[in-house]
């Protein structure tokens, strides 16, 4: 069909739309995980040259919807510092010519996630503004190369000890900023988003439905159980990155 990009059939498009819906529901309900799962599915169906930018634009829609629906819970002071760092990371990414091996980045991300989730807990007051800016810059730079850095940002937000709605809302806002900057960078280097626009719009629409359902599920999850599920899920995603490196 002419509304689909080359090499993408109707059956594949339906699979991607359904997957976007389900993974957005997962992220809204549990706080994390959907972006990585969506990337894994897309990696088997989408041409490599389009994988990261298309995934990023879909995630921009999904996280933007979630941030909009939970905007009253966002930590805006943190978001401003994260944004400042994210802009720095995006500028660096635009000028980076030599790309690190994906395996090195994956192992670094996985190790950092495990430390943030299971290491000695630091309160928010112990994280200086420079640290928040550095987190924004570092994770934004990494996302340009590996796509789904949601577990890294989520582990960072989780470490601040927010209640469940503030965790989900602030994480969504940070990811919205990251994916928006990613789209700017890929647009500047010439990626043709218009070829994928129809499919992306449908995937974002599916993601909106999934987000709405997931947020209603979130209301039924006790705060203590949410924190445990969140930590276990982020840990599983980190271990999955390590497994990918050594099994590839």
């Amino acid at each position: 069909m002419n509304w689909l990009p080359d090499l993408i059939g109707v059956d594949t498009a339906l699979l991607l739309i359904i997957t976007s819906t389900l993974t957005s529901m997962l992220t809204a309900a549990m706080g994390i995980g959907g972006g990585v799962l969506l990337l894994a599915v897309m990696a088997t169906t989408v041409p490599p040259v389009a994988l990261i930018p298309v995934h990023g634009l879909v995630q921009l829609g999904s996280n933007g919807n979630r941030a909009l629906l939970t905007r009253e819970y966002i930590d805006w002071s943190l978001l401003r510092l994260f944004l400042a760092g994210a802009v720095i990371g995006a500028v660096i990414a635009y000028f980076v010519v030599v790309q690190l091996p994906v395996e090195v980045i994956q192992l670094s991300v996985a190790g950092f996630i495990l430390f943030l989730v299971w290491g000695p807990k630091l309160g928010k007051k112990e994280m200086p503004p420079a640290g928040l800016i550095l987190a924004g810059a570092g994770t934004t730079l990494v996302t340009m190369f590996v796509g789904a850095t949601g577990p890294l940002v989520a582990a960072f937000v989780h470490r601040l000890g927010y209640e469940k709605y503030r965790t989900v809302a602030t994480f969504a806002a940070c990811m919205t900023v990251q994916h928006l900057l990613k789209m700017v960078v890929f647009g500047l280097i010439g990626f043709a988003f218009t070829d994928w626009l129809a499919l992306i719009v449908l995937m974002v629409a599916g993601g909106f439905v999934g987000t709405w359902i997931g947020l209603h599920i979130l209301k039924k999850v006790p705060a203590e159980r949410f924190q445990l599920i969140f930590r276990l899920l982020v840990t599983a995603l980190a271990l999955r990155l390590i497994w990918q490196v050594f099994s590839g």
Side-chain angles (χ1 to χ4, degrees), residues 53-70:
V54 172
H55 173 269
L57 191 51
V58 173
Q59 288 295 288
L60 172 60
S62 178
N63 284 281
N65 286 332
R66 195 161 62 256
L68 180 64
L69 292 172
T70 59

Side-chain angles (χ1 to χ4, degrees), residues 90-104:
V91 171
I92 294 173
Y94 178 74
F95 289 104
V96 168
V97 177
V98 179
Q99 180 175 330
L100 291 174
V102 172
E103 293 80 7
V104 173

Side-chain angles (χ1 to χ4, degrees), residues 19 60 62 72 90 95 118 127 174 180 184 187 196 211 236 239-240:
T19 302
L60 172 60
S62 178
E72 61 186 292
F95 289 104
W118 298 105
M127 177 69 73
C174 289
L180 180 61
V184 171
W196 294 82
T211 294
L239 294 176
R240 179 180 178 274

